[in-house]
Structures are given as structure tokens and as C-alpha cells.
Amino acid sequence: MMNLADYGLTPDMLPEHFEGTAARITAVHKERYALVCAHGELYGRLKASVYYAKGGESFPTVGDFVHIDYVPDGDSRIVATLPRKTYFSRRDPTPGRGEQAVAANFDYVFIMQSLNHDFNPKRLERYLTLARQSNAIPVIVLTKADLMEDCDSHLRAVGKTAAGVDAFAISTKTGLGFDLLADYLKPRKTIVLLGSSGVGKSSLLNALLEEKRMEVKNIRESDSKGRHATTVRQLVMLKNGAMVIDTPGMRELGMWDVSSGLDKAFADVEQYLGRCRFADCSHESEPGCAIKAAIENGALSQKRWESYVALKSEAEYSDDKAAYLRNKERKNKGISQLIRQMKKPDYRHAPCLETFTCKVCGTPVVPEGAGSGHRNHCPNCLASIHVDNEPGDRASLCKGVMEPIGVWVRKNGEWALIHRCRTCGALSSNRVAADDNPALLMSIAVKPLALPPFPLDRIGKHT
Ligand code: GDP
Ligand code: ZN
């Protein structure tokens, strides 16, 4: 006899005077659901009159507890989805259908990034927002620690982005960090794995299972011919009674409706909103802007503000793509009119001789010393601002910070910097100037060699 309490069901999750059979969904196929219940493991199908009626029950997903009419010699009938403690959802791909849950009733969200090349604090913030919105407790798991000499600097970076959230570095190769995860892997608790493909979700699950999970490529939908239908379960129970959800649905988890989680994740930023002199302040150049004041007096970091803006626009975008684009277009039209009125300079054919203060590091930059007519990045921090579409045209509306991400060598042997816009991702190549910070140039140039994506001793084996 299986006890659903061992699968995490608590009495408060059942409706009052509940009679009948409760079950937990362990895998979802097109029309069939793999279930566990007091009768063991079985399959169920939705009761159409309940689920397909207008305003019907929410379709069950992996981890859901459901009410079933048990059928001993066939598929049982799923008659209700019980209220969820926690869940992730995405927009239903079928138009007009609203949201679709992709995992439910988990206690912890393991937010996974690999230390070698997937590590990205911005994405981490986005995952944290999703996790908080699900109502479960986020735990940050940095994988592939064996490929990293110094995990501590990354853990410190995480500490800044995600204050108060537990973060660990682990390796499925060496077993490092598994003892720390044990705090979460407790009987009756459910963990869901969230992270990009390749970060090591399957490896972690296999390591926790202490055996290879059966990998079956073609999931047979029907066992009508008497053959056994094998499925890869998406909710698995570990030997110690903890459960792990690893579903393909999680991998496509969109950013839909993250806005309501934003205020929790960015309470430190949102406290300044609504305090500007002008109600419609764009926080760019208006006087009396509370955001600018907070950044200037150090109460709010510029980076944090940029993350918030990026995430906010992403949330707006996924909330309502059409409205977002209309709004942006309107804004851009207004801006390009303004630009025409201001007769913006054009440096495509004449050198730029402006003196400016670097927006990133604050260094005053003068035209002298560049060794050429074009000074397009700060000689100290090498950053630039996304003002050009074509070099010198000053036509871009983006104005994001262009980060120096690489160095390449031109045909004539001259070095050029590759800049990438932090706001929109645009790339551009720019000649280095005579007085560019040589130490920083060198460190950018050797970055790929300093952080190879493979163990160095493999070079020996291949030569
Ligand atoms: P998933 O897509 O998130 O499920 O990622 P996988 O578990 O399939 O892992 C992707 C790749 O990373 C595989 O080649 C694994 O062998 C490798 N990998 C996973 N965990 C580790 C680890 O701790 N250390 C190292 N060096 N490689 C790992
Ligand atoms: Zn840009």
C-alpha cells in the first residue's frame, strides 16, 4: 500500500470531507498522465466534462495532486486538480488558453548555473524572480566546480545578487558540495531543477539516484497491443524519500508574468519609484529624479538599476508583446523627432573632438592622446556607449553601455576591441587607441586562454 503522505501530500491540501482517491502526477504525456496513488503506479486521463468546459479545471502538471476515480483495469479518470502550494507556469502555446502550469507542489527550486561558462548574474536574477513568484524557496547551485580553481569569487558575486539565498558550488564529478545539498533533500520534500540545458541537471539527478536513470527515447503513448509502455518519469523519488522534478517543460519556461515577482526581488529598487518630481519621469534626464539621486548618493547601484530596467522591459515584453512594441515604437518616433530638432552631430566624416566624462568609470576623456581622430571608448575602462548604428552616425536610440568583451587582430596587425551592448546585445568592432589601458587590453585578450572550457591536461592527450 502506497501512502501519498510519503509523496508530500498534507491534509490541508485536500478539500474538506474529501472522499475518494488522491494521486500525484509523476509524468505528463499528450493525453495520459502517469500517477501514483494508494493503489500503486497507474495511468489516468482527464474527465472531459470537467476539464474542457468553459472555465474548467486547470490542466494537471508534473507534481500536481489530483482527485481520481480509480479504475482497476484501465486508465483511471482524473476529476479534479487539487489547489497548488507552489507552481511554475508559462503561457499556453494554444492561443486564448491563458497560462499553463509546468511543475507544481515543490518545496525548493534549485537554480542551476555552471561555473565554467553558463554563470551569469543577470540570468540568475531572472531565475530568482521566477522562483520567488512560484512561492517556493530558491537555492542556488553552481555546478561543475571541478572545472574552477576559485569558486569563492563566484559565490561572492552570487551573494551580492541574491542576498539571503543559500548558494553552493557542487561537482557531480568529485562529489563536492553534495553534503550541503542534503539539507534540502529530505523525505517528503520536492525539489525542482531550473537551469539552461547543459548545466548538469541530468547529471545531478543521476548522481542523486546513484544509478543511471533509464533513458528511453521513444515514449510509447499506448500499450494497447499488450506491450509495456515505458516512460521517463519526470518526478522521481530518491532512495531517502526526497523527490526531484526534472521536466522538459521547465526548460522552456518563459518569462511570462514575472512582473508580480519583480517587486519582491527588487524591493530595494522599487522603493524609489513614485518619488520623482514628475509622475511620468523616465529616470533619464529629468530634474528631481529620485532614481538618479539614489544612484548619485550611492544608495542604489547603477548595475542594480540596469538589471531592474532590463528585467522590467523583458517582463513587459512577455506580458503583452504587441502593446510593448507599439509603446516602444511610439517612444522611438518621439525620440527621433527630438533628435532631428536638436540636429545631432554626425561624426561619420569628421573626427569627433568632444571631451566627455566616461559614464562607466567617471574618467574625464579628452581627444588628445588617442592617436587618431576617433575616440569611441574610454581609454581607462575601455567601455563605450551605444550611440552609433554605423560608426560615427550617432543614430542609435539605445544608449546602453558597450562592454569590451574581446580583442582581435586586424590584417595590418592593429588591435581592435569588440564591444557588446549590455542593453541590446549589439556588437561592434573598434580600433584601439594609442593610450588605451594596456593591462586591461591584455587581460581581455588572454581571457579565453585563462578560462578554457576543458581541463588543461587534455591538451597533452591531443598533441
Ligand atoms: P543538463 O542538460 O542540464 O541535464 O546537463 P547534463 O547533466 O546533460 O550535463 C551536460 C554536460 O556537463 C555533460 O557532458 C556532463 O558530463 C557535464 N557535467 C555535468 N556535471 C558536471 C560536473 O560536475 N563537472 C564536470 N566537469 N562536468 C559536468
Ligand atoms: Zn544598445
Side-chain angles (χ1 to χ4, degrees):
M1 209 39 186
M2 219 174 282
N3 185 351
L4 219 51
D6 292 336
Y7 275 85
L9 183 70
T10 50
D12 60 298
M13 298 174 78
L14 291 171
E16 247 184 293
H17 313 298
F18 179 81
E19 275 180 49
T21 308
R24 192 167 197 194
I25 310 265
T26 58
V28 177
H29 308 299
K30 272 200 201 81
E31 274 151 16
R32 287 177 100 206
Y33 295 79
L35 305 166
V36 286
C37 68
H39 304 278
E41 299 193 27
L42 45 88
Y43 283 94
R45 286 174 191 270
L46 301 178
K47 184 173 178 178
S49 62
V50 175
Y51 281 94
Y52 292 96
K54 225 183 167 178
E57 286 281 296
S58 172
F59 290 132
T61 188
V62 182
D64 258 324
F65 291 101
V66 292
H67 180 182
I68 61 168
D69 284 342
Y70 173 61
V71 177
D73 49 3
D75 287 353
S76 291
R77 198 131 307 270
I78 300 171
V79 298
T81 306
L82 299 180
R84 299 169 173 133
K85 281 191 307 188
T86 61
Y87 69 99
F88 279 126
S89 69
R90 63 172 177 197
R91 178 166 283 175
D92 195 309
T94 318
R97 279 273 282 279
E99 70 173 352
Q100 180 185 50
V102 294
N105 298 315
F106 40 85
D107 300 278
Y108 302 108
V109 181
F110 280 10
I111 297 174
M112 299 177 62
Q113 293 201 330
S114 76
L115 280 158
N116 55 343
H117 44 239
D118 183 62
F119 184 71
N120 175 335
K122 270 238 161 87
R123 186 148 13 92
L124 199 63
E125 259 169 21
R126 198 156 71 192
Y127 282 147
L128 269 172
T129 305
L130 277 173
R132 290 199 167 101
Q133 199 190 6
S134 77
N135 267 333
I137 297 169
V139 179
I140 294 164
V141 179
L142 302 180
T143 60
K144 310 192 188 180
D146 53 291
L147 299 181
M148 259 298 178
E149 287 260 317
D150 172 30
C151 305
D152 289 346
S153 65
H154 285 85
L155 284 170
R156 274 197 301 277
V158 167
K160 281 207 188 114
T161 307
V165 179
D166 279 351
F168 308 109
I170 67 157
S171 166
T172 54
K173 296 257 148 88
T174 65
L176 178 97
F178 274 55
D179 49 334
L180 301 168
L181 294 183
D183 271 350
Y184 302 95
L185 300 162
K186 292 272 155 75
R188 302 184 175 186
K189 296 288 183 202
T190 305
I191 288 104
V192 70
L193 306 182
L194 180 58
S196 315
S197 151
V199 297
K201 294 183 295 296
S202 317
S203 306
L204 174 64
L205 184 52
N206 284 334
L208 292 172
L209 282 167
E210 299 161 59
E211 69 202 61
K212 261 260 177 319
R213 186 155 60 132
M214 223 199 318
E215 219 166 287
V216 184
K217 286 281 173 285
N218 296 313
I219 297 167
R220 288 177 47 86
E221 278 292 313
S222 154
D223 54 358
S224 59
K225 293 203 175 101
R227 272 184 286 176
H228 216 73
T230 31
T231 68
V232 174
R233 266 181 309 167
Q234 296 159 348
L235 179 149
V236 292
M237 186 175 273
L238 308 180
K239 272 184 196 145
N240 76 345
M243 286 151 284
V244 179
I245 295 179
D246 177 30
T247 127
M250 290 291 296
R251 294 170 190 194
E252 308 153 27
L253 202 59
M255 288 296 300
W256 182 44
D257 195 26
V258 297
S259 18
S260 63
L262 260 179
D263 47 342
K264 278 191 210 163
F266 284 93
D268 57 322
V269 177
E270 296 213 324
Q271 61 175 320
Y272 299 107
L273 296 178
R275 293 204 198 160
C276 304
R277 185 178 309 161
F278 301 109
D280 61 346
C281 186
S282 67
H283 318 302
E284 274 157 19
S285 53
E286 291 90 336
C289 170
I291 300 288
K292 273 185 76 177
I295 292 172
E296 267 157 28
N297 71 24
L300 177 65
S301 85
Q302 172 82 27
K303 265 229 156 83
R304 187 85 181 131
W305 171 245
E306 280 169 13
S307 307
Y308 175 80
V309 171
L311 191 55
K312 188 88 179 168
S313 71
E314 199 162 345
E316 278 166 11
Y317 180 69
S318 36
D319 274 353
D320 186 346
K321 278 185 198 167
Y324 172 86
L325 292 174
R326 265 198 316 277
N327 192 11
K328 176 150 189 168
E329 216 164 88
R330 208 178 49 226
K331 246 193 190 158
N332 284 358
K333 247 192 201 144
I335 293 170
S336 37
Q337 271 168 4
L338 248 178
I339 290 175
R340 246 176 280 130
Q341 284 162 10
M342 287 162 44
K343 294 215 179 61
K344 286 287 273 184
D346 184 331
Y347 299 118
R348 272 173 294 184
H349 308 295
C352 163
L353 298 172
E354 272 172 44
T355 297
F356 62 95
T357 303
C358 174
K359 283 194 189 157
V360 179
C361 70
T363 303
V365 181
V366 294
E368 295 81 41
S372 83
H374 290 269
R375 167 85 80 188
N376 54 32
H377 53 263
C378 168
N380 178 48
C381 72
L382 306 181
S384 170
I385 300 293
H386 190 185
V387 290
D388 295 346
N389 286 336
E390 299 291 325
D393 69 359
R394 297 295 188 268
S396 169
L397 300 176
C398 174
K399 308 290 187 286
V401 171
M402 301 285 287
E403 207 168 354
I405 58 163
V407 166
W408 67 286
V409 185
R410 293 153 55 123
K411 254 196 199 137
N412 60 4
E414 193 183 60
W415 277 24
L417 270 169
I418 300 166
H419 281 102
R420 182 175 58 203
C421 176
R422 267 192 218 152
T423 306
C424 75
L427 294 168
S428 77
S429 164
N430 295 290
R431 294 160 64 188
V432 299
D435 57 351
D436 276 351
N437 177 345
L440 190 50
L441 275 176
M442 281 307 270
S443 87
I444 293 171
V446 302
K447 217 175 197 173
L449 296 177
L451 301 170
F454 46 79
L456 276 176
D457 60 11
R458 244 177 59 197
I459 293 178
K461 285 178 207 140
H462 286 265
T463 49

